[in-house]
Amino acid sequence: MSENRGTPSYAAAELLAREYRASHEFAKAAESARDAARTARDEGDTSGWWNMALFEAENLLDAGDFGPAADLARTLSQMPPAGASSRDRARALILLAKSIQGGGLLDDAAEAARSAVELLADEADAEFEVHARQALIAALAESGKLDEAWAESLALSARISDDMDDQLAGKAYWVIGNVAFLCNKVEEGLEHHELAADTFSPSSNLDVWAKFNKASAAMRLAAGVADSGTLRCIERAELATDIVGGSEEEILLLRYVRAHWNFLAGDAPAAIALLTEVTGSADKLPPQTAGEAYLLLARAEAADGRRQAAELSQKQSVEYFEKAGAHQRAVQAGALLSGGADTPKP
């Protein structure tokens, strides 16, 4: 294609966007995707515009630009049926759910994800239904609506089949295991995470392997499972992240997980050192995650005899949970010190 209004050709801009994404330069990938979308729009290529606009929103999300990602995803999701298929609008709603969840609007995220599930009810494509249910489950679980999240997990489990792509099945097992842990169904959580680990392959996607092991370790630790299997998850995640790199948020989350391990192993000072670094960058984290980091810091400080510091961290935790709309978690955090430093996470 020829140059258009000073922008790169569609093909060149799309290629550049995908190259930036492959190297985890998400902000640059979003900018190049925007160039491609603009060129496609000017040339009357509706399909090209849609795909690159959605790709721009995906990269904005991964860059941590939750507001712009949500705005663009919302625009795409509101396209009239004549301008976009049900599946395309569901894809945009899934991205909208993830974006506004990243910004702490958990109820709105669940609503967007549920709308995506409903749009896909008559579609034969299991892949996007699984993605939609994953987004819905994540929003429900993070907001503390665990009964609803578990019901949706059972519905998701029913969609897993032998002919499903391994990566997709692994992600489904992953999210079901997460909810099982949150519901204190520890054995079911361990079982589903083992199924995910057996399904995922580090040679197929090292980035997903890193994220899964980090998340699995976090859920095991939250359930009080601080065994050798949990330590292996942490070490795999750290090694894989060293190789593939990661966003600032991902690296902070990995440090949070290691701090949680240190705390449960009885090394409160080491946990405090890591958590002080994590909470010092709380603005780089979703509010719910920042709340969890401050809550763990309060527990570690209390265990180390730093009562006044623990009370301050506890207050910060409550504020972040309230900001995220996780009101039940805020109440639990507010009762932490009166219940003892080692009050476990439900």
Side-chain angles (χ1 to χ4, degrees):
M1 292 182 183
S2 61
E3 296 293 319
N4 188 20
R5 297 188 183 179
T7 62
S9 70
Y10 178 88
E14 179 185 10
L15 178 61
L16 188 59
R18 297 194 183 282
E19 288 176 348
Y20 279 134
R21 183 171 181 81
S23 60
H24 296 267
E25 296 182 79
F26 300 118
K28 291 181 179 179
E31 183 178 351
S32 293
R34 189 179 309 121
D35 288 339
R38 185 182 304 116
T39 300
R41 181 198 61 202
D42 291 347
E43 294 180 351
D45 180 0
T46 303
S47 176
W49 168 80
W50 171 275
N51 287 324
M52 283 297 101
L54 192 71
F55 194 53
E56 177 190 351
E58 289 173 351
N59 283 287
L60 287 170
L61 171 62
D62 287 333
D65 292 334
F66 301 121
D71 290 343
L72 184 51
R74 185 177 290 105
T75 296
L76 294 171
S77 72
Q78 293 171 348
M79 290 284 290
S85 68
S86 295
R87 193 180 78 167
D88 281 341
R89 284 184 289 131
R91 289 170 64 195
L93 281 165
I94 293 166
L95 188 55
L96 174 61
K98 292 179 179 179
S99 300
I100 56 183
Q101 181 177 348
L105 302 174
L106 302 178
D107 289 342
D108 291 344
E111 181 180 350
R114 197 179 298 280
S115 295
V117 172
E118 291 170 355
L119 270 176
L120 294 166
D122 297 326
E123 295 281 332
D125 192 334
E127 177 180 354
F128 287 103
E129 182 186 343
V130 169
H131 287 311
R133 289 192 183 279
Q134 287 174 328
L136 174 57
I137 290 165
L140 290 171
E142 195 165 314
S143 61
K145 298 176 181 177
L146 298 181
D147 289 342
E148 291 182 58
W150 185 242
E152 291 294 339
S153 294
L154 295 177
L156 174 59
S157 180
R159 298 294 285 143
I160 302 174
S161 60
D162 291 338
D163 59 354
M164 182 177 286
D165 174 78
D166 283 349
Q167 291 290 104
L168 184 62
K171 290 177 180 178
Y173 287 132
W174 177 0
V175 74
I176 294 168
N178 287 351
V179 179
F181 277 120
L182 290 171
C183 293
N184 289 323
K185 302 176 187 290
V186 176
E187 290 303 318
E188 290 180 61
L190 291 171
E191 177 186 350
H192 281 88
H193 276 199
E194 286 299 323
L195 287 169
D198 290 342
T199 306
F200 286 135
S201 168
S203 61
S204 296
N205 192 321
L206 191 58
D207 186 42
V208 170
W209 179 249
K211 289 176 179 177
F212 164 69
N213 277 284
K214 176 189 66 184
S216 184
M219 298 308 299
R220 294 166 75 108
L221 290 167
V225 181
D227 60 6
S228 59
T230 302
L231 183 57
R232 280 197 301 273
C233 286
I234 296 172
E235 291 171 341
R236 287 172 188 158
E238 290 174 338
L239 178 59
T241 301
D242 284 343
I243 295 170
V244 302
S247 67
E248 185 174 3
E249 179 183 337
E250 290 168 346
I251 292 169
L252 289 170
L253 288 173
L254 191 50
R255 286 175 183 158
Y256 167 81
V257 170
R258 174 59 81 166
H260 201 167
W261 170 265
N262 288 337
F263 174 68
L264 292 181
D267 192 349
I272 291 168
L274 284 170
L275 290 165
T276 299
E277 180 181 351
V278 173
T279 55
S281 298
D283 60 325
K284 303 293 197 310
L285 297 169
Q288 173 84 12
T289 306
E292 296 293 353
Y294 270 111
L295 182 58
L296 183 57
L297 178 57
R299 293 172 65 192
E301 288 167 335
D304 200 43
R306 308 182 194 183
R307 188 78 183 184
Q308 187 172 5
E311 290 174 354
L312 291 174
S313 296
Q314 177 194 29
K315 289 177 182 177
Q316 290 279 7
S317 175
V318 171
E319 289 177 8
Y320 275 105
F321 285 133
E322 290 290 359
K323 183 178 179 181
H327 305 301
Q328 182 180 358
R329 196 72 181 118
V331 171
Q332 293 168 345
L336 168 69
L337 295 184
S338 61
D342 288 332
T343 301
K345 178 179 175 178

